[in-house]
């Protein structure tokens, strides 16, 4: 049996960019190590989820790890909460939230409280509370955005939004959309009553009013989702798994399936991350773990910024950092791919397929010599992200035979 | 409408082998006929079941014949029984079995009866019986292994094992795991009481004890499975089908779906089979049948033996034997593939995809000129085994239009 390494360059895939004379960032990057691994590996294209789907990082990572999002993904609530660094456990119910402004009659004046950007961490922290043994945790996001996670037994996500989604309308009382949601709705309403009282009296809001800004005196909830009860990774694959990633959404997801999270100094989840530090941590982790997933977020960040030069340089840094992987192929299977494309020309995720390579000693090689979107189209494989774990398992001699 | 031929070189696929200077057995083989058919055909790679799955010959042949194993495969019991040459009919329940040794208290001393290898055919034959109209048949396998098939109405496979799976524990009374299993469990317990009595008193065991060997005085049952009620091949495809194969698992499976089995003198299911005889039988069969599946097992045998030179020579013999197929393409569609890979370096099935070619007059051709794992990666198709029959049906002008 071999060890297994899955390197994900987040949002790796791209489209031809005029700044790069019609090349993609990956094509334009100096990438001798990626090319070498491609030349001794089995390459191809991977559809995130399935052909044409514009996946998020949450759904694509679920799928990459072999958890079919079409079966287990329960909406953005729990995964946005993970992304903000909140702990989300199976059975927890999470909402996406806004800090908004209401008048004295509870009518919404501004769903974004003048796009409040400062001090939301104080507001969020003031809303953590326990009601009847249920724990409520709020975490701020970018600008007016936030998330709420409720922890406790027997919760249901079959509840309506408190957010009326329109200015001029009163905030809604949360209601169960099914019998099972009634009790959760009551709990949420009790929480909101306290929370909105706390916000109304928060010193930050007094200051905002004095400064001529709308107060963030109301938490608007939408998109309740229940955290799925995912089979632990170790149980599903008989592998002890670890995760190295700079962003909470990925570490949170891996934590949810029972992986250990390895912290690396200087791993920021940005383009200035500690590229070598993460690989060193991976090599170290392989001494005690069977499987390590490593996410570099910088490629996605550069894609969202629409900066192909930056994306190219992130890829070049990754290429240099992964050099030691060439020396562990005797007893390790390495896969390198993106979780989806984030074309710089689009500044958002596309539904394109992305290059993928599998490499280990003794395996089949195809004729691909370069690791990029176009070269890998000539590779051996065209698969969906849900197939990746099966492929890694068989290459690492960890699969059970299906049949006789 | 054309006739249809499916040639399966069992375990055909392989990985680079140092003995063959980094080539696969198929790449290294002198194979002018395979290459010719590839050069005038449509080629590609086929994932057994789906990408990364390490399939057995049973599941992969089911899938190749268009029966989705994820819907119809009911465990190894029925298919191992088929593999030993037992007749298994829809509704039959089959167990995998061991000849083991118990002490006078029914405690298991050895689950393999000193790995008994001689005379098990006598022991097995002595256990065939009928109870309340239910027919029990036992067939010996390799060493201590065997299978039991029960034939009769209303049987259930929802029953526990009699095998305690551990030395030092008493053999288990078989129990129903669901209501439906109660009656079957009772029948099996009655059978086992008689069977173990017969074994205890069998002259072979008296001789073993005298020789200082543990007696095979107990049949340990595990992994009950009910033979699936598969739609007959002729009904599913409106084709009259025949099977030419040297191994009982394949003939048994084809028999289960109502195909005729054509016996060929010298067809051994080994590397010394009658290569030309099987092709002659196929050409003869095409006069009366619409579809013929022909399995050469030698490639798989050589793979399990880890012998790439032998595998190469098996492929060369197949190549020479199939030469006459070049002359029937006007009114026949021929597909050639493996059911899975059995890399010599692994001595077992891998989850790699395998080359496949489809050839008939007037069809599309791709640019592939050689039939092997690497060349076919450049071919037109990347499919799963479940897609093969649909492709054969459309090429042979036998498909119904889906829609208007």
């Amino acid at each position: 049996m071999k060890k297994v390494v899955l390197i994900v360059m987040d949002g790796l895939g791209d489209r031809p960019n005029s700044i790069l004379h019609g090349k993609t960032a990956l094509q334009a990057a100096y990438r001798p190590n990626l090319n070498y691994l491609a030349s001794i590996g089995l390459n191809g294209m991977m559809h995130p989820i399935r052909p044409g789907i514009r996946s998020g990082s949450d759904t694509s990572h679920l799928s990459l790890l072999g958890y079919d999002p079409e079966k287990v993904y329960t909406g953005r609530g729990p995964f946005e909460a993970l992304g903000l660094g909140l702990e989300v456990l199976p059975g927890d119910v999470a909402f996406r939230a806004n800090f908004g402004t209401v008048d004295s009659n509870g009518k919404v004046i501004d769903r974004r409280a003048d796009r409040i950007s400062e001090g939301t961490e104080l507001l969020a922290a003031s809303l953590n509370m326990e009601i009847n043994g249920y724990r409520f945790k709020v975490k701020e996001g970018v600008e007016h955005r936030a998330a709420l996670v409720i922890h406790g037994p027997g919760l249901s996500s079959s509840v309506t939004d408190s957010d009326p989604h329109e200015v001029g309308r009163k905030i809604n009382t949360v209601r169960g959309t099914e019998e099972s949601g009634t009790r959760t709705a009551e709990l949420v309403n009790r929480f909101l009553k306290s929370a909105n009282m706390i916000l109304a009296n928060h010193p930050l809001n007094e200051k905002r009013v004095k400064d001529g800004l709308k107060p963030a005196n109301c938490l608007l909830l939408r998109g309740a989702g229940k955290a799925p009860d995912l089979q632990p990774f170790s149980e599903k694959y008989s592998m002890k798994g670890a995760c190295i990633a700079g962003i909470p959404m990925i570490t949170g997801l891996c934590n949810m399936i029972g992986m250990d999270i390895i912290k690396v100094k200087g791993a920021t989840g940005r383009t200035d991350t500690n590229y070598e530090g993460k690989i060193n941590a991976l090599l170290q982790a392989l001494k005690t773990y069977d499987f390590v997933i490593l996410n570099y977020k910088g490629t996605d960040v550069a894609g969202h910024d629409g900066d192909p030069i930056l994306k190219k340089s992130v890829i070049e840094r990754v290429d240099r950092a992964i050099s030691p992987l060439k020396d562990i192929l005797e007893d390790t299977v390495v896969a390198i791919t993106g979780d989806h494309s984030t074309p710089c020309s689009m500044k958002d995720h596309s539904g394109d397929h992305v290059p993928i390579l599998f490499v280990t000693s003794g395996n089949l090689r195809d004729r691909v010599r370069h690791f990029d979107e176009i070269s890998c189209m000539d590779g051996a494989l065209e698969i969906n992200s849900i197939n990746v774990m099966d492929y890694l398992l068989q290459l690492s001699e960890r699969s059970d035979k299906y049949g006789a």
Side-chain angles (χ1 to χ4, degrees), chain A residues 92-115:
Chain A
D92 287 0
V93 165
F95 290 83
R96 303 168 70 197
N98 276 9
F99 289 108
T101 309
V102 290
D103 68 14
S104 53
N105 299 316
K107 204 184 277 179
V108 175
I109 300 169
D110 187 340
R111 285 186 63 248
R112 300 181 183 88
D114 269 337
R115 283 201 179 264

Side-chain angles (χ1 to χ4, degrees), chain A residues 217-233:
Chain A
N217 61 1
C218 169
L219 193 70
L220 297 166
L221 301 180
R222 66 184 190 281
K226 189 165 179 170
D229 193 359
L230 302 172
Q231 189 184 11
F233 184 87

Side-chain angles (χ1 to χ4, degrees), chain A residues 6-12 34 57 61 244-247 250 264 266-282 293-302 314-315 317-325 336-339:
Chain A
L6 174 57
I7 308 273
V8 182
M9 284 187 262
D10 210 292
L12 172 67
L34 287 166
S57 281
H61 273 82
I244 299 171
I247 49 164
I250 306 304
V264 176
T268 58
R270 298 189 305 260
T271 60
D272 65 353
T273 195
N274 183 354
Y275 291 88
E276 275 78 16
K278 290 173 88 163
I279 291 291
N280 289 340
L282 177 144
I293 178 170
L294 188 160
N295 175 291
Y296 284 115
K297 186 69 178 173
T299 30
D300 186 56
V301 172
V314 168
I315 294 165
R317 281 161 188 270
V318 171
D319 185 83
R320 198 161 55 185
I322 64 168
S323 180
L325 297 183
I336 304 181
T337 188
D339 59 339

Side-chain angles (χ1 to χ4, degrees), chain A residues 349-370:
Chain A
H349 305 187
S350 75
D352 301 326
H353 51 359
V354 296
I356 185 164
L357 73 81
F358 295 93
V359 62
T360 189
S361 66
N363 191 31
L364 286 165
R365 301 172 180 196
D366 56 24
R367 289 172 177 149
V368 171
R369 293 292 168 265
H370 299 94

